[in-house]
């Protein structure tokens, strides 16, 4: 099922979409144990699961595609395959798209991808809107895209960032997943700007539950999300107590989601970090809302 069809069905039910993000483990042992994570996540009945895509992997021997096949065929959940273009040329992208077609995987999240100094950049695609246009012309795929509620770090200003987002939608993106944020008001302001700009596709709110301080500081540096004072107080108070910080982080994420759902957000996308305990705790907290 295409993601747009999922959103339409949930809208008719008056409910938000719920989805998870996982990544193909790099270590062989973790790859063997991914089934335990998938079983727990799929027991929570997400509407879809997105699978990230690492720069520099082989287009032929691709763990992202293999994991997406498992999610679809073994667990009966619709996958979205992340597809980055900064480190791949058109031939390599076409190879991956052919793999998806062969396995009846029709949902793709088109991304530029982050610069990896260890992997040489290719020059067929510079931005995600170019990849989006290529995928749309290549085959019959549903294309999702990423957005940044607090502005992409490389954008000169918020207006330019919204204009660039509109280019992606005009190129063929029909669903947006937001980068993580901790201030819901920032998301609401961003959402209003998308509508003013004529972007009328569903925008899913990306939620990153905090499990440790180092993790969140690393992610904030990558994406530029702001930490509200109440969140910083949590980090400061429970920094030395791992389990207390986990509980506080889960409570903060659940409160975010409750507020978002109360404001009729299109969907909630949870960055699980391959941790089924995180997804399970959150879903237990919101099960009667979704």
């Amino acid at each position: 099922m295409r993601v747009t069809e999922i959103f339409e069905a949930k809208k008719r039910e008056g409910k938000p979409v719920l989805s998870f993000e996982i990544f193909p483990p790099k270590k062989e042992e973790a790859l063997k144990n991914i089934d335990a994570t998938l079983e727990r996540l799929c027991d929570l009945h997400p509407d879809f699961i997105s699978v990230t895509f690492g720069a520099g992997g082989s287009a032929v021997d691709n763990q992202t595609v293999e994991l997406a096949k498992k999610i679809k065929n073994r667990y009966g959940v619709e996958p979205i395959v992340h597809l980055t273009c900064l480190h791949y040329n058109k031939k390599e992208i076409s190879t991956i798209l052919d793999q998806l077609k062969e396995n009846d995987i029709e949902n793709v999240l088109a991304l530029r991808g982050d610069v990896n100094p260890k992997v040489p950049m290719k020059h067929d695609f510079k931005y995600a809107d170019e990849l989006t246009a290529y995928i749309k012309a290549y085959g019959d795929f549903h294309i999702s895209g990423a957005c940044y509620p607090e502005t992409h770090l490389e954008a000169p200003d918020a207006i330019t960032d919204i204009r660039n987002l509109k280019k992606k939608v005009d190129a063929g993106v029909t669903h947006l997943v937001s980068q993580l944020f901790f201030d819901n008001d920032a998301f609401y302001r961003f959402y209003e700007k998308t509508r003013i700009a004529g972007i009328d596709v569903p925008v899913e709110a990306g939620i990153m539950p905090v499990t440790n301080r180092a993790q969140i500081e690393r992610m904030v540096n990558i994406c530029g999300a702001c930490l509200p004072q109440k969140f910083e107080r949590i980090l400061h108070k429970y920094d030395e107590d791992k389990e207390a910080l986990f509980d506080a982080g889960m409570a903060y994420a659940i409160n975010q989601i409750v507020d978002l759902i109360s404001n009729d957000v299109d969907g909630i996308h949870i960055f699980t970090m391959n941790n089924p305990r995180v997804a399970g705790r959150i879903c237990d907290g919101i099960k009667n809302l979704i």
Side-chain angles (χ1 to χ4, degrees), residues 79-256:
I80 291 185
V81 170
H82 292 215
L83 189 54
T84 63
C85 62
L86 201 59
H87 301 279
Y88 295 89
N89 58 35
K90 289 181 179 179
K91 183 178 179 181
E92 291 168 317
I93 292 295
S94 297
T95 297
I96 297 168
L97 293 174
D98 287 341
Q99 291 175 351
L100 298 180
K101 282 184 179 181
E102 291 168 4
N103 291 283
D104 295 321
I105 297 171
E106 54 187 343
N107 296 300
V108 178
L109 178 59
L111 304 163
R112 186 200 69 166
D114 297 322
V115 175
N116 185 340
K118 298 180 180 180
V119 181
M121 287 190 290
K122 305 293 176 66
H123 303 287
D124 285 1
F125 306 98
K126 190 175 182 180
Y127 299 112
D129 64 302
E130 297 171 356
L131 175 62
T132 298
Y134 185 79
I135 295 171
K136 186 175 182 180
Y138 191 85
D140 190 21
F141 291 98
H142 169 274
I143 309 171
S144 299
C147 59
Y148 290 74
E150 296 171 275
T151 306
H152 194 287
L153 283 175
E154 296 179 26
D157 52 63
I159 293 176
T160 302
D161 196 36
I162 289 288
R163 286 174 176 165
N164 289 335
L165 186 61
K166 183 66 162 59
K167 289 180 181 178
K168 285 199 283 191
V169 172
D170 290 344
V173 162
T174 54
H175 157 239
L176 293 167
V177 179
S178 91
Q179 183 55 272
L180 64 90
F181 60 90
F182 301 98
D183 180 357
N184 283 6
D185 287 338
F187 179 83
Y188 298 139
R189 290 192 295 269
F190 167 77
Y191 188 87
E192 184 178 4
K193 290 175 184 176
T194 65
R195 271 35 192 172
I196 293 172
I199 299 170
D200 60 358
V201 303
V203 181
E204 217 174 348
I207 299 298
M208 169 69 82
V210 174
T211 57
N212 65 75
R213 188 184 188 111
Q215 167 210 32
I216 207 59
E217 288 179 344
R218 182 175 65 253
M219 293 303 299
V220 166
N221 286 334
I222 291 173
C223 71
C226 295
L227 295 180
Q229 285 188 351
K230 61 181 179 180
F231 190 84
E232 290 186 335
R233 285 195 293 270
I234 289 173
L235 290 177
H236 178 74
K237 184 173 180 64
Y238 301 111
D239 188 32
E240 301 300 324
D241 189 332
K242 182 178 179 180
E243 287 302 312
L245 180 57
F246 182 91
D247 286 345
M250 294 304 102
Y252 190 94
I254 290 170
N255 285 336
Q256 268 194 281

Side-chain angles (χ1 to χ4, degrees), residues 19-25 34-35 37-39 41-42 46 48-54 63-64 66-68 70-71 75 79-82 269-276 279:
S19 61
F20 299 137
E21 178 183 288
I22 65 171
F23 58 87
I34 194 66
D35 281 340
T37 297
L38 286 175
E39 286 173 7
L41 293 181
C42 293
F48 61 84
I49 296 177
S50 72
V51 188
T52 66
F53 193 95
Q63 288 295 340
T64 296
E66 291 301 312
L67 192 50
K70 180 176 287 189
I71 291 168
Y75 297 100
I80 291 185
V81 170
H82 292 215
H269 188 67
I270 300 173
F271 302 105
T272 70
M273 305 303 290
N274 285 20
N275 188 334

